[in-house]
Amino acid sequence: MCSGFAAHFSNIGLEVLLLDIVPFDLKEEEKDNPAARNRIVNAALKTAIKNRKPVSAFYDTATAAQITTGNFTDDFEKIADCDWIIEVVIERLDIKKQIFEKVDQYRKKGSLVTSNTSGIPINLMSEGRSEDFQRHFCGTHFFNPPRILRLFEIIPGPQTDPEVIDFLFMYADRYLGKRAVLCKDTPAFIANRVGVYAMAKIFQLTEELGLPIELVDKLTGKALGRPNTGTFALGDLVGLDTAVKVIKGIKDNCPNDEQADTFEMPKYLDFLLENKFFGNKTKKGFFERTKQKDDNGRRIKLALNLQTMEYHPTQRVKSPVLGATKQVDSLKGRVRTFFKDQFKEDAGAQLVRRSLLGLFAYASNRIPEIADDLYSIDDGLRSGFAWEVGPFEYWDMVGVAEGTKMAVAEGYQVADWVQEMLDAGHESFYKVENNQQLYYDIEAKAYKVIPGTEEFIVLD
């Protein structure tokens, strides 16, 4: 992912210094060889230049010439010339703190220092650092791949200068092409906290309802306004070891989470981890692309049977509700199709309904824990997970009153502020007035223009 950052910053014309570790397995004759010592970082950059799927990290690979590579042992002092230092090391607090101790030693005063952590508390990483470091330090969480996904979570530390936050909001929007969202320093921040919950909930329901993963990916992909990967192929893409770390991190660090049982590990995830089937990076996870070819010359793709833990050729899947959604053009129409009485007994429709109802309740209870405003959560899921709409926008499609009633009937706990909003006569989280989109402000108990859209005109 770090090479993806380097690529994207070079895309906008910046000079980039890309550092990584010295290989642990150097032979005696290689220890003084710069090429050998930079083998890991150079291989990562070469892969970024070569890899075109799903899309290149570079707009033009010629900009790779703006990237200088090095390693932490020989080249760390070179960060003294940098204006922005981004840490993207393994998700271990002890290692991050070691890195930041060295950063504090070599950085110039006034330079920005940020961490791309996906969930480690920002306040813990800056402990013991200099005053200037802490004033210029915060979390800046990009989503992978950095060039494509728009979300840019900004997580202030206890001492972060407000001017630094203002600058990062401007820079992300104007130069990096990102949608910046201000997050609180809570486990997994905004997008991962809610998005990983949604993934874990579908993992849970798939096992409970006995559905094949090929069908679930169809139900939770385009039909639901989400990427074609659906849920299980997305897990393979992210890396199952990474996904499980985030799931486990939420479970361990959020003991008061009202849906904590959702983050229990299914047996099939244990099976995959034990066998080191981590997904695309190990070429085997929920799916496996074999070297065998079918009659049409295409590689045969295998899918994991969650009951038997055996792989079988992927099947073309059919479902009454899935077939019905294909006849509907609008996302709102497709979402409402899953809630029709005629599909009440359809297991696929049950999975989508129950996952959405759980999502409604979960998102409502994350305010003000992870964000003060509902639009921030929707922004996070749209920009970070490439959903067409966020949780509260889904809820509006179903109807807030009806969705609340169904969620409660399903046993979910919906936040009190939602019923208070309904009791006050407000029937939706968003509405358009005078060609501007408004959101419901929970604290003010009134509708306001979404910040940053004041100059937009909603033509529909």
Side-chain angles (χ1 to χ4, degrees), residues 25 148 188 255 411 413:
D25 59 350
I148 305 304
Q413 175 189 334

Side-chain angles (χ1 to χ4, degrees), residues 8-16 83-84 86 112 140 142 150 152 154 163-180:
H8 193 55
F9 279 94
S10 76
N11 285 337
I12 64 169
L14 299 185
E15 294 180 355
V16 182
D83 298 316
W84 185 355
I86 306 178
L112 302 176
T140 52
F142 292 77
R150 292 191 64 225
F152 182 72
I154 300 176
E163 289 185 4
V164 169
I165 303 303
D166 292 342
F167 169 81
L168 289 170
F169 262 87
M170 177 280 295
Y171 200 86
D173 177 48
R174 187 172 297 177
Y175 295 100
L176 294 173
K178 301 296 177 185
R179 173 62 173 167

Side-chain angles (χ1 to χ4, degrees), residues 357-358 360-361 395 402-414:
L357 294 174
F360 298 165
W395 203 341
E402 187 63 20
T404 301
K405 181 180 177 182
M406 288 188 287
V408 171
E410 196 67 42
Y412 297 116
Q413 175 189 334
V414 177

Side-chain angles (χ1 to χ4, degrees), residues 72 76 87 89 92-106 125 127 129:
F72 292 151
F76 214 106
E87 168 272 310
V89 303
R92 276 181 48 182
L93 178 60
D94 58 334
I95 293 177
K96 289 182 184 290
K97 294 190 79 167
Q98 290 173 28
I99 291 291
F100 287 132
E101 184 176 1
K102 291 188 71 174
V103 168
D104 207 0
Q105 179 183 349
Y106 291 111
M125 287 189 277
E127 286 180 348
R129 303 278 55 84

